[in-house]
Amino acid sequence: HVQLVESGGDSVQAGGSLRLSCAASGRNYVKWCMGWFRQVPGKEREGLATLDWRGITAYADSVKGRFTISKDNDKNILYLQMDSLTPEDTGTYRCAASWDVTAPAALGRISSPEFGYWGEGTQVTVS
């Protein structure tokens, strides 16, 4: 089992930046894949960014060039650096983890409950 705890959500003005963190604990997988997706009431969950054990990343078009995913493997913390935020980025940001899936393949699956493990989320509000 894997536990994921997100932090870093806040209220910011448009054009601002935030860095989200996701602390992972529990079982370690060699071929791990982790990422972020966003939940907005009344909208479909959207996969935003993924990173796999090879260091390969994948991004949704809506955040490409503005968001950067990274991981501190020593601390087992996943990050999401978010720049040039817009009101459309408002939502609950959730961290997810799985195994034996590459970052590009995971991007379209990360917001599915069958993907693997999810955190509870952290709220980002952009005004």
Side-chain angles (χ1 to χ4, degrees):
H1 193 68
V2 175
Q3 295 81 39
L4 303 171
V5 179
E6 302 94 333
S7 61
D10 205 345
S11 297
V12 296
Q13 291 191 337
S17 298
L18 279 176
R19 189 177 78 158
L20 305 182
S21 299
C22 172
S25 61
R27 181 174 179 177
N28 288 316
Y29 293 91
V30 174
K31 292 185 177 180
W32 55 267
C33 182
M34 296 182 70
W36 296 89
F37 68 94
R38 178 167 62 204
Q39 281 186 263
V40 179
K43 294 186 178 181
E44 285 191 10
R45 291 185 291 261
E46 179 185 14
L48 301 176
T50 51
L51 170 67
D52 67 29
W53 74 97
R54 306 165 300 165
I56 302 297
T57 60
Y59 294 94
D61 287 343
S62 61
V63 304
K64 200 172 294 182
R66 300 188 300 123
F67 290 10
T68 303
I69 189 170
S70 62
K71 186 171 182 280
D72 185 326
N73 288 320
D74 291 335
K75 297 180 180 178
N76 214 11
I77 299 176
L78 184 74
Y79 298 103
L80 186 67
Q81 177 66 40
M82 306 188 297
D83 299 317
S84 302
L85 287 163
T86 73
E88 288 69 37
D89 293 316
T90 294
T92 299
Y93 284 67
R94 300 182 72 170
C95 174
S98 190
W99 59 96
D100 289 341
V101 58
T102 66
L107 190 61
R109 298 161 49 183
I110 191 172
S111 59
S112 167
E114 292 74 32
F115 179 73
Y117 303 101
W118 285 0
E120 293 297 315
T122 186
Q123 179 67 31
V124 172
T125 303
V126 186
S127 60

